[in-house]
Amino acid sequence: MPEPLIGARLERFALPNGLRVVLAPDPAVPVAAIAVLYDVGIRSEPPGRTGFAHLFEHLMFQGSAKVPKLAHARYVQSSGGSFNGSTHLDYTVYHETLPGTALERGLFLEADRMRGPRITEENLRNQVDVVAEEINTNVANRAYGGFPWLHLPPLLFDSFANTHDGYGSQVDLESATVAEAEAFFERYYAPANAVLCVAGGIDVGETVELVARHFGDVPARAVPVRPDFAEPPLTGPRRGESRDRLAPLPAFAAGWRVPDPIGELDPYLAHHLLADLLAGGEPARLVRRLVADENLVTDVSAGLGLMGDALAVRDPGAFVVSGFLPPGGDVDKVVRVVDEELARIAADGLDDDELTRLRTMAGSRLLRELDPLAGRAKLLGVFEQQRGDAGLLAELATRYASITADEIAAAAAAVCGRHRALAEILPGRT
Amino acid sequence: MTVELSGTDIPALRPRRELSLPESAETTLPNGLTVIAVRRHSVPLVELRLRIPLVEVDPAGAALLAESLCTATASTSAVELTKRIQRMGGRLTAVVDADRLLVVGSALAAHLGDLLGILGEVLTGACYPEAEVAQRAGRLAGMLRIATTQPAHRALEALNRRLYGKHVYGRPSPSPDEVLSVTSEDLRALHADRVRATSACLVLVGDIDPEPALRAAGNALSGVDGGEVPRRHRPLPGDRATEAIEVLDAPGAVQSSVRLALPCAGFDAPDLAAADLANIVFGGVFSSRLASNIREHKGYTYSAKSTLVFPQAGAAIAVTADVATAVTAPAVLEIRYELGRMACTSVTTAEVDRAREYLLGVQRLGMATQSGLANLVSELAAHGLRLDWLAVHSDRLAEAGVAEVNEAAARYLAPAQAVIVVVGDAARVTSRLATLMPVV
C-alpha cells in the first residue's frame, strides 16, 4: 500500500471564536481549495420544514454584508475559480477551488457570509422557485429520480429526522419565512459549529495569518447540542413500492442498518469491503450470480450510505444493494440470491486474493477521491467535524489494509442477522 | 441588473505567475501510436487515456465494442482480467462517441507497466466470447432503455439532428434491439478493422517519470497492428434547421428541457479566444448574463448554462436550461434575448476582464488533478495540439478586447443561427412557443 499522502503535514487549530481550522498544504499545485462545513444537515430539520437545510444553503449564495446578491459567483469566477455548495444528512458544505492568487479573496467571501447572509423576502421567494426546479430536474422529471435515497429511508428508519425527504415538500418550502431562515442561521451557523479547511498550494504561516485576519472577528456564539439520531433495530422486514411513470425497467434497493460509522469504524469499514466483495466488478459475488450466471438483473451495485457519503455520515448509516431488473424481472428471486450470497460469505469467508483485491481497490479509490483539492478539503473537513481529527483520514488507507477476512465475514453475518428494508420501483404508468 | 463590485473591502488578486507546464515527454512508436507521458505526482496513481479514431462506423457495433473491449482475451477470461486489474488498484473501461473509442484506465503508479501490459493484451487479443457479449449487450440495452426515456437524452438527440442533419453527428443512439442483434463475429471484425495504432494517441498522467513511462508503453504496445490511416469525417452540412422550434412531447412533464445550439469557432480558429470570452459573458458560468436573468432574477430554472464543445468535425455552443412548464415560452424568449443582446449590442470592458480572469484561472484548475490533466492532454492531442497550446491561448485571451469579443459574439451567438429544441408537455407549451417562432 502507498504511504499515507496527507496527515504528516496537516496543521490543525481553533480560533478563539471556536472555528476549527485544518490546513493541508500541497506545494505541487498553484491552486487552493477552501471548504467550510457547518454541522447541520437534513437530519436537523424540524417537522414541517422538510428541505429547509438545502433551501438555506441556497440563501448563503444570495449575498452578505459586503457582498451583494450575485457577487459571490462573480468574485469567485472572475478570480478564475469555481464554487459550489451541497447539503447532506449531517453537514452542509460550501467550497471554492481557486488559483493561489485568489486565496485571500476566497477566505474573505466565506468569512463575510459566516458573519451573516443577506436574507430578503425577494431572494427567499426567488430561491424557493429555483429549488422547486432543482427538484423537478433531479426527481420529478427524471426516471428513477431520487432513487433510492428518497425511497429507502422511510422503510429503513422510523424517526422524522431519518426518514423525511431532504429535498422537501412544496408546501414546506413555500411556507418558509425570512424569520425562520434567520433563526436557522443563528442556531446552526455559529463559527464554533463549523470547520474551515484549506488544501493545496498554500504557505502555512501566511494562511494561518489570513485565516485569523478574516475569521477572527466573526462573533462567537453558542453551539446547539447535536441530538442523537440513532434508532432501535427494525423489528421486522419492511417493503415498499412506488410507481415511476418514466422508468422503463423495474429497480430495487435493499437496505440494512450498519455499525456506527464513527464509534465502530473497523466493523463499518468491513461493511464497505463487503459491499465491494458483492458488487465491485466482474469477479464480485453478486455480479457473477445475478448478472452473469442467472441473468436476474442487468446491473447491480452495493455501497454504504444513502447519499454517496460512505465516509461522511454519522450514525445511523446504511448498507445498500441496488440494481435494475430486465422487464418483468422477479425481485423476490433477486433478494433471495443476495441473502444466499451474504450467508455464504458469513459461513465460508473469502480467499486471500479476494481480500488483497478488496484492500487495494479501497486504497486506490480513496486516493482518487483525494486527488481533486476540493474533494480533499471536504473530506478532511468532514473528518475534523465528525471524528474530531482530520488526521484520521491519513490513517484510513492503513485501516482498510488491515481489515481481515474474518471481519468481512462477520459483517456479512451481521447483515444477515438484521431485518431488511426493500424499496421497489415499478415501471410505467398505473 | 448588473452589479458592479465596489472593491473597497475585497482583497485584490495577487499577480499571476506565468503558466508553468508539467514535465512531459512524447514519442511515436513504429506502428503509428503516439504516446505522451506527463508527470503530476499529487497522489501515487497513474491515469491512462487511449484515443483511437472511430469515424463512420455502425453505432450499435461501436457501443457494444466499447462495452466489451476490456473483458476477455484469448488467454484470459473476463473475470481473470478484472482480477489482475483490481490487484493493481486499477480500472480499465472504454467509451465511444461519433469521433473515437476512448479507453480510460487508472492504477496505482507502481503498476504502470502491468496496466500497459493488460492494455496491450486487450488491443491485440480481445476475443469477444459469445456469453460475454450477450451479457454486455443485455446490460447496454438496459442502460439505453433508461437513457432514451430521460428528457435530457431525448433533447440532445433532437438537437444533434437539427444541427447536423444527415451527418453522423445527427444520428441517434443505437436502439436496444440494434445492440442485441450485434454478434461476437461483428465485434471481432470491427476490432480487426478499426482498433489500430495508426493515428491513435495514448496519454499517461500521474506519479510517473515520463521517459521510462514512454519506454514501458513501447514495450507493451509495439505489437499492436498499425493499420491504415483512419477515415475522416465528411464536412458538416452548411445549413441547419433553424427556422422553427422543435417540440418533443413529454405528456404531463412538470418541466421543459430547453436546448439551443450554434456552430462556433474550433481549436484552429484565430478567434477562438474571443468566442470563448463571449460564451463566458453570455452563459458559460454561474455569474453570466443568462444565469443572472433566468435563474437568479426570474427563478425559471435551476440550471442555465452554455458550453463550448469541440467534436472533431466542428465546434458548437450548446445552451441548456430545464425550466418550469408554465414559463417555457418566456424562458426561450429570455435566452434568445440574451443571445441577441450579445450579438448586436456591446459587452462591457468589465465583463471581458472578468471572463478573461475566469478562463486563465480555470486553465490552472483543469491541470490540478491527474484525471483532469489526462482528459485535457488527450482532447488537445485529438486536435493535433499539445499542452503548450495553453500558453498560446492564454496570450490570445490576454489580447482580446471588447471589439474582438463583440465581433465573435455577432458571428457565433446570433439567435438566428440557433437550432432550438424543447422536450416538454406539448399541450401546455406549444401555443405560447408559437407566438415566438414557428413550432414543429
Side-chain angles (χ1 to χ4, degrees), chain B residues 5-40:
Chain B
L5 308 177
S6 67
T8 44
D9 299 295
I10 311 300
L13 298 181
R14 297 215 181 132
R16 199 175 25 247
R17 268 184 256 148
E18 203 160 312
L19 186 68
S20 94
L21 298 177
E23 180 191 347
S24 67
E26 174 173 345
T27 190
T28 300
L29 303 180
N31 59 11
L33 176 71
T34 299
V35 187
I36 303 172
V38 184
R39 187 203 299 273
R40 158 120 190 87

Side-chain angles (χ1 to χ4, degrees), chain A residues 93-427:
Chain A
V93 60
Y94 304 84
H95 58 93
E96 294 80 36
T97 308
L98 297 150
T101 53
L103 172 65
E104 184 175 6
R105 182 173 282 195
L107 293 171
F108 162 85
L109 289 169
E110 286 301 347
D112 202 55
R113 63 180 166 183
M114 189 178 281
R115 280 183 210 97
R118 244 191 243 191
I119 303 167
T120 67
E121 184 63 26
E122 190 188 355
N123 290 345
L124 174 60
R125 300 277 74 90
N126 167 249
Q127 290 305 307
V128 167
D129 288 346
V130 169
V131 167
E133 293 315 311
E134 180 177 356
I135 298 170
N136 281 336
T137 299
N138 291 335
V139 183
N141 208 39
R142 165 182 297 197
Y144 312 101
F147 185 76
W149 81 272
L150 295 178
H151 303 73
L152 207 45
L155 298 165
L156 189 56
F157 302 108
D158 288 305
S159 72
F160 172 81
N162 291 327
T163 58
H164 74 271
D165 173 354
Y167 263 139
S169 73
Q170 203 177 341
V171 172
D172 287 0
L173 290 169
E174 281 177 2
S175 56
T177 67
V178 170
E180 285 170 339
E182 283 165 349
F184 191 84
F185 176 81
E186 189 58 32
R187 182 167 171 77
Y188 292 113
Y189 277 64
N193 208 35
V195 170
L196 164 68
C197 181
V198 188
I202 55 169
D203 176 90
V204 169
E206 179 196 44
T207 309
V208 168
E209 217 169 282
L210 289 174
V211 167
R213 185 185 310 158
H214 289 284
F215 290 87
D217 67 349
V218 180
R221 54 186 198 276
V223 171
V225 176
R226 188 178 178 279
D228 181 2
F229 295 115
E231 293 191 24
L234 291 182
T235 52
R238 306 262 183 91
R239 186 164 184 160
E241 57 183 41
S242 29
R243 194 162 282 280
D244 182 339
R245 64 184 189 86
L246 295 174
L249 299 175
F252 80 99
W256 293 264
R257 302 281 186 81
V258 288
D260 178 357
I262 310 296
E264 299 169 271
L265 181 58
D266 284 340
Y268 183 74
L269 295 181
H271 280 71
H272 206 178
L273 298 189
L274 174 65
D276 295 334
L277 179 62
L278 289 174
E282 299 302 318
R285 304 288 182 99
L286 289 179
V287 177
R288 299 302 316 142
R289 267 200 77 186
L290 288 173
V291 185
D293 295 345
E294 301 182 26
N295 225 345
L296 292 173
V297 302
T298 60
D299 212 1
V300 63
S301 36
L304 286 180
L306 293 155
M307 299 183 74
D309 277 345
L311 298 172
V313 71
R314 294 193 181 101
D315 199 39
F319 181 82
V320 182
V321 176
S322 61
F324 296 100
L325 285 72
D330 183 345
V331 172
D332 291 296
K333 225 186 243 179
V334 171
V335 171
R336 226 167 17 243
V337 171
V338 174
D339 286 344
E340 284 169 19
E341 289 303 321
L342 283 165
R344 194 192 310 273
I345 296 164
D348 304 342
L350 52 157
D351 65 40
D352 287 349
D353 182 57
E354 276 178 315
L355 181 63
T356 305
R357 286 188 281 113
L358 292 172
R359 289 168 165 179
T360 311
M361 291 301 288
S364 65
R365 175 172 55 207
L366 182 64
L367 291 174
R368 260 178 225 115
E369 214 173 316
L370 295 175
D371 188 29
L373 287 176
R376 194 181 306 181
K378 278 188 276 186
L379 207 50
L380 284 166
V382 165
F383 267 58
E384 183 69 26
Q385 189 159 73
Q386 299 186 349
R387 298 172 188 274
D389 184 358
L392 285 174
L393 186 56
E395 293 170 22
L396 204 56
T398 318
R399 292 292 272 268
Y400 275 120
S402 64
I403 302 290
T404 64
D406 285 347
E407 286 173 304
I408 296 169
V415 173
C416 288
R418 297 184 196 115
H419 292 295
R420 174 180 57 232
L422 179 64
E424 284 179 75
I425 295 281
L426 308 178

